[in-house]
Amino acid sequence: MTVLHEKLRGKDTGYWIIQCTNPLTHKRTTIRRNPKTDAKFKTKRSAQEFELQFLKSSMDLNMKFSGLFEDYCNYLEVHKSGKSLIDMKSRYNRFFVHLKNKKIVNIRESDMNLIVRDMQSNGYHSSYINTIITTMKILMNFAVKKGYINNNPIANYPKLKVAKTNDDLKFWTPEQMKQVIESIPEVYKTAPDVRQIQHIIRFGYFTGMRYGEIRALRWKDIDFNNNIININNHISKHNTERAGRKNGDYHQLVMDDDTRAVLTEIYENHKKQPEFTNDCYVFHSATRGPYFPLAATTGNKYMMKLAEANGLKHITFHGLRHSHASYLISIVGLSEAEVADRLGDTVAVTSKTYAKFFNQARVRAANKISSHKLGF
């Protein structure tokens, strides 16, 4: 890697130098003059231009994939969370380690093809394979940014098409939800926020709202007088609050009795706090306070622990949305249009996503009709 230094003191005051380390020999080199002209680098631009030439003529041709990976990990240690580094090392050891001795200038789309085919043969889901494709692109983009290569050779590598089927929909039945809710006091008996855990799991199931929408919900969005929840914003997994929902504009949700009861209970507790205002988050961080939303990973952590404690299949927090839809279709008996309106989706998307549930409802309807034979 190279480091550009500006205006050093002493005899070279006012001039730029280039310091670089060979990733193979780890030998450190300091360049103070252009060896072709013997001229010092008076401007940053002149130093950068020579630096790029130097990289192309030496480091670019020698750096192996393992060196690039080590360089990127060093970057993650400084600029990203610890989880990012752990995830990167795990993916490297599982999918990229066979490339460690390959020079990065020789990386081609064919290398990505081999990784994808191997993952497919081992039964990895297309969505996770796409994650690995993205990871490889990130690494090669980093190589371009550092000047190790001119272009990312897999920049245009296409992701796999992910076709969701009804078999992909993981959900809990109302009976399982009741079991989970009742287990929370015991599962989280040492946690300071047991009630909040119950509240957010119940709320997610009663409304079918996405986790990012729930995280962004503030008391000013709750209209108790008109029984309306205004979904005006969502928070991404990268903790960026954005207007509207994940897939479109804002949405209004009319509260049913169960949803209103949960929100009323939370509101009665929150308004007693001296720092309470309508700008407080409905579901806020237990450690940072009412003006900070829940962490991006909190909801899924709750779901995983509760699934294990109750011996149920693992579902993500988004699985509560599917559980809610299943309940509306299979138990309540709402139509496709009514379910779509409740979830804030189009009828076409709702019909396709929950086709299995609607087909089951249609079969039950036909059986009910059959039980009342007209006799003529």
Side-chain angles (χ1 to χ4, degrees):
M1 60 182 293
T2 66
V3 180
L4 202 62
H5 291 267
E6 62 174 318
K7 297 184 178 180
L8 298 183
R9 300 289 182 183
K11 62 180 181 179
D12 288 325
T13 298
Y15 295 98
W16 292 72
I17 70 168
I18 301 168
Q19 289 184 335
C20 25
T21 303
N22 188 301
L24 298 178
T25 64
H26 300 287
K27 181 180 179 181
R28 192 175 184 83
T29 302
T30 299
I31 304 173
R32 300 178 184 274
R33 299 171 181 268
N34 187 324
K36 293 183 179 180
T37 63
D38 199 38
K40 296 179 181 178
F41 302 110
K42 294 182 178 181
T43 65
K44 182 177 181 180
R45 181 174 180 178
S46 64
Q48 287 177 323
E49 289 176 349
F50 180 80
E51 179 190 30
L52 185 59
Q53 294 175 6
F54 182 82
L55 287 170
K56 288 180 179 178
S57 63
S58 57
M59 296 183 70
D60 286 9
L61 300 178
N62 294 321
M63 177 171 275
K64 294 182 179 179
F65 192 79
S66 58
L68 171 64
F69 176 72
E70 181 182 353
D71 204 0
Y72 187 69
C73 285
N74 291 334
Y75 165 79
L76 290 181
E77 281 188 310
V78 176
H79 299 284
K80 300 293 182 179
S81 67
K83 186 178 185 302
S84 298
L85 181 60
I86 293 172
D87 288 344
M88 180 57 70
K89 288 183 176 180
S90 174
R91 292 168 189 171
Y92 176 82
N93 290 329
R94 292 165 66 189
F95 306 113
F96 303 136
V97 70
H98 67 284
L99 296 173
K100 65 180 182 180
N101 291 321
K102 187 162 188 171
K103 294 178 181 179
I104 60 173
V105 293
N106 294 329
I107 296 291
R108 298 289 183 270
E109 285 193 355
S110 57
D111 296 299
M112 197 69 247
N113 283 334
L114 291 175
I115 293 173
V116 170
R117 289 170 185 166
D118 184 63
M119 293 183 71
Q120 289 175 322
S121 65
N122 283 288
Y124 285 96
H125 194 277
S126 296
S127 60
Y128 187 65
I129 296 176
N130 286 339
T131 298
I132 300 305
I133 293 173
T134 298
T135 301
M136 185 64 161
K137 289 182 177 181
I138 289 172
L139 284 168
M140 299 309 289
N141 281 335
F142 182 76
V144 174
K145 182 178 179 181
K146 297 292 287 186
Y148 301 154
I149 53 178
N150 290 328
N151 300 294
N152 183 345
I154 63 165
N156 298 317
Y157 193 90
K159 289 187 177 182
L160 303 182
K161 291 184 177 180
V162 181
K164 291 186 177 179
T165 68
N166 288 284
D167 293 334
D168 294 327
L169 296 180
K170 297 180 180 179
F171 64 97
W172 287 340
T173 65
E175 293 76 17
Q176 291 171 328
M177 283 302 310
K178 186 173 186 295
Q179 174 187 340
V180 166
I181 296 299
E182 291 177 347
S183 73
I184 290 176
E186 178 62 26
V187 175
Y188 286 96
K189 57 185 176 183
T190 61
D193 56 347
V194 174
R195 291 300 296 160
Q196 175 166 285
I197 297 172
Q198 282 190 318
H199 287 149
I200 193 170
I201 299 299
R202 289 167 64 199
F203 185 81
Y205 180 72
F206 292 154
T207 65
M209 286 175 58
R210 297 177 179 87
Y211 185 60
E213 298 164 358
I214 293 176
R215 292 178 69 202
L217 202 61
R218 300 174 189 261
W219 286 113
K220 63 184 179 183
D221 301 318
I222 310 299
D223 184 351
F224 283 110
N225 291 331
N226 295 302
N227 225 32
I228 295 290
I229 297 175
N230 294 292
I231 308 175
N232 295 319
N233 302 283
H234 73 280
I235 300 177
S236 71
K237 62 181 180 180
H238 301 298
N239 293 318
T240 302
E241 188 160 351
R242 298 172 180 171
R245 296 172 299 136
K246 179 180 179 181
N247 66 337
D249 299 328
Y250 78 95
H251 180 61
Q252 286 188 329
L253 186 67
V254 177
M255 286 185 273
D256 58 275
D257 289 346
D258 286 326
T259 301
R260 185 182 177 92
V262 170
L263 287 176
T264 300
E265 184 176 343
I266 301 171
Y267 182 72
E268 292 300 321
N269 289 329
H270 282 197
K271 72 178 183 178
K272 296 176 184 177
Q273 305 302 318
E275 67 269 39
F276 176 80
T277 71
N278 280 337
D279 281 325
C280 292
Y281 287 101
V282 176
F283 300 95
H284 59 73
S285 169
T287 56
R288 303 182 69 189
Y291 291 96
F292 294 90
L294 285 172
T297 58
T298 298
N300 283 339
K301 287 180 180 178
Y302 289 158
M303 298 299 289
M304 180 175 292
K305 187 169 183 178
L306 290 170
E308 292 176 352
N310 288 276
L312 299 176
K313 60 184 174 185
H314 286 207
I315 66 173
T316 63
F317 194 92
H318 194 76
L320 294 178
R321 182 175 175 85
H322 299 322
S323 301
H324 177 65
S326 171
Y327 170 72
L328 296 180
I329 299 166
S330 305
I331 307 299
V332 181
L334 297 188
S335 68
E336 294 176 356
E338 289 170 324
V339 175
D341 180 69
R342 178 76 176 177
L343 296 177
D345 281 332
T346 65
V347 174
V349 169
T350 302
S351 300
K352 182 178 180 180
T353 304
Y354 302 108
K356 181 178 180 179
F357 299 152
F358 284 116
N359 287 337
Q360 291 173 343
R362 293 183 181 107
V363 170
R364 286 194 297 273
N367 290 337
K368 287 181 180 179
I369 294 172
S370 297
S371 67
H372 297 276
K373 293 181 180 180
L374 293 174
F376 59 80

